Amino acid sequence: MGRYQPGQHDSFIKCDAPRCGASNAPEGSAEYDAECWRCGEPLGGKPEPGDEVTVDIVDEKADGTLVCKTEDGFVLFLEADIAAIEATVRVTTVDETYGEAELVEANP
């Protein structure tokens, strides 16, 4: 278990261990494993509420909510009026496929 199955998942977590780079199933799915199936190193993934993470602001919804992605590709929604492409946020809630966050600091 833990291998990325093309056609079953929309996204995956890539192992960052040197000389590995295996694709693993996303967190929250039945196939997800907290460790890489190839090398055994722990994988990144979903942040926990209270975590402060740096995100890239990738889009804005029609209602003004900012769509952000963590380094691991997890989507967070941020209600803030900032003109930045990167920010430090505090995760407030986490669901299976997305989370919500509050602004800590806008990065230039």
Side-chain angles (χ1 to χ4, degrees):
M1 297 312 276
R3 290 185 188 210
Y4 172 67
Q5 302 295 320
Q8 279 189 277
H9 307 290
D10 294 332
S11 63
F12 61 91
I13 299 170
K14 185 174 181 180
C15 180
D16 291 328
R19 301 185 331 184
C20 184
S23 296
N24 295 272
E27 187 165 359
S29 75
E31 290 82 10
Y32 179 76
D33 202 348
E35 297 174 347
C36 178
W37 62 270
R38 182 184 288 166
C39 69
E41 290 295 316
L43 297 170
K46 191 166 34 172
E48 296 292 324
D51 288 353
E52 285 191 14
V53 294
T54 300
V55 295
D56 292 325
I57 300 169
V58 296
D59 202 1
E60 183 175 354
K61 293 172 46 175
D63 66 1
T65 302
L66 301 175
V67 180
C68 309
K69 283 194 173 184
T70 66
E71 184 178 304
D72 295 321
F74 191 76
V75 174
L76 292 171
F77 295 110
L78 174 65
E79 291 189 24
D81 187 21
I82 58 172
I85 58 171
E86 188 176 276
T88 302
V89 299
R90 182 175 299 107
V91 179
T92 55
T93 61
V94 176
D95 199 354
E96 288 297 315
T97 58
Y98 68 92
E100 295 180 4
E102 59 187 19
L103 182 66
V104 172
E105 178 182 16
N107 303 339

